[in-house]
Amino acid sequence: MITKKMQTALNKQINEELFSSYLYLSMAADFESRNLTGAAKWMKMQADEEFEHAMKFFHFILGRGGEVDLLPIAKPQKSWKSPLAAFQDAEKHEQHITKCINDLYEMATKEKDYATQSMLKWFVDEQVEEEASVGEIVAKLEMVADSKNGLFMMDRELGKRQED
Ligand code: FEO
C-alpha cells in the first residue's frame, strides 16, 4: 500500500504529465498552422510520450492498491511568437517536471517507500534525456536565428524523429 500523502502526490504527477501532453499538443497545432510539419510531428510524438508517462503513474497507483484521482487539466498557451520561443518554453517546462520528479523521489525516500523510489528511477533517467534533447533543439534554433533557410532545414530534421 502507498500512504495517502504519496497517493495524492502521485495523482498530482498524473496531472503534470497530462498537462505536459496538452502543452506539447498545443505547440504541435501552432507549428502545423505555420506549415512547420516536422516540428509539429516532433511535438505530437512528445505529447504521446507524455500521455504514456501519465499512464505509468496511473498503473503504478492502481497496482499498489491505491486510488486514481484525475484532476482538471489546465488550458495550455495557444500560440508562440516563434519556434524558438516554443522550444524554450518546452525546456523550462521539462526543468519544472524534473523538479517534480525529484521532489517525489525525496518524499519516497523519507517515507522509506522503496517501490515508489524504484519506479521513479526510470523517470529520473528519462528527465535527463528529455532535458538534453529539448536543450539541443533550443541551441540549434538559436544558431539558426532569423534564417528562413535554417528553419526549413531544422524543420526537416525534427520531422525525422522516430518512435523510441
Ligand atoms: Fe514526462 Fe517530459 O516529462
Side-chain angles (χ1 to χ4, degrees):
M1 278 294 281
I2 39 176
T3 63
K4 278 272 175 262
K5 187 179 167 193
M6 183 56 73
Q7 178 175 294
T8 302
L10 293 175
N11 271 308
K12 168 126 197 321
Q13 193 60 30
I14 292 181
N15 188 262
E16 291 279 1
E17 302 291 346
L18 288 177
F19 176 75
S20 304
S21 186
Y22 236 38
L23 177 65
Y24 297 148
L25 202 55
S26 186
M27 287 180 182
D30 192 29
F31 288 146
E32 189 112 20
S33 71
R34 296 161 185 257
N35 296 314
L36 293 165
T37 49
K41 178 188 167 191
W42 195 97
M43 276 300 173
K44 268 183 262 173
M45 288 180 73
Q46 195 57 35
D48 286 347
E49 264 195 20
E50 299 301 351
F51 186 79
E52 283 169 24
H53 293 174
M55 292 309 288
K56 277 186 194 286
F57 285 103
F58 177 99
H59 292 303
F60 180 78
I61 293 169
L62 292 175
R64 296 200 60 209
E67 205 171 73
V68 165
D69 185 17
L70 296 176
L71 306 167
I73 306 168
K75 181 176 166 44
Q77 189 173 324
K78 206 160 72 176
S79 66
W80 284 262
K81 73 175 195 316
S82 66
L84 175 60
F87 274 98
Q88 280 170 332
D89 275 5
E91 187 177 34
K92 255 188 269 158
H93 184 68
E94 286 306 325
Q95 288 161 353
H96 161 72
I97 295 293
T98 298
K99 189 184 177 309
C100 293
I101 298 292
N102 290 345
D103 288 349
L104 284 171
Y105 198 92
E106 196 178 321
M107 188 188 290
T109 305
K110 278 189 187 141
E111 292 195 0
K112 294 192 168 53
D113 180 344
Y114 301 112
T116 301
Q117 285 175 52
S118 177
M119 180 273 294
L120 287 170
K121 271 189 188 131
W122 184 90
F123 281 95
V124 171
D125 295 341
E126 176 71 5
Q127 282 311 116
V128 173
E129 265 184 45
E130 298 247 303
E131 282 196 42
S133 67
V134 81
E136 190 186 314
I137 296 166
V138 167
K140 284 182 180 169
L141 285 170
E142 279 168 351
M143 266 188 258
V144 161
D146 293 328
S147 158
K148 284 208 165 75
N149 201 23
L151 185 59
F152 179 78
M153 304 279 278
M154 194 61 208
D155 187 57
R156 220 161 45 178
E157 190 182 318
L158 290 169
K160 289 183 186 150
R161 179 173 176 175
Q162 299 290 330
E163 303 280 348
D164 295 325

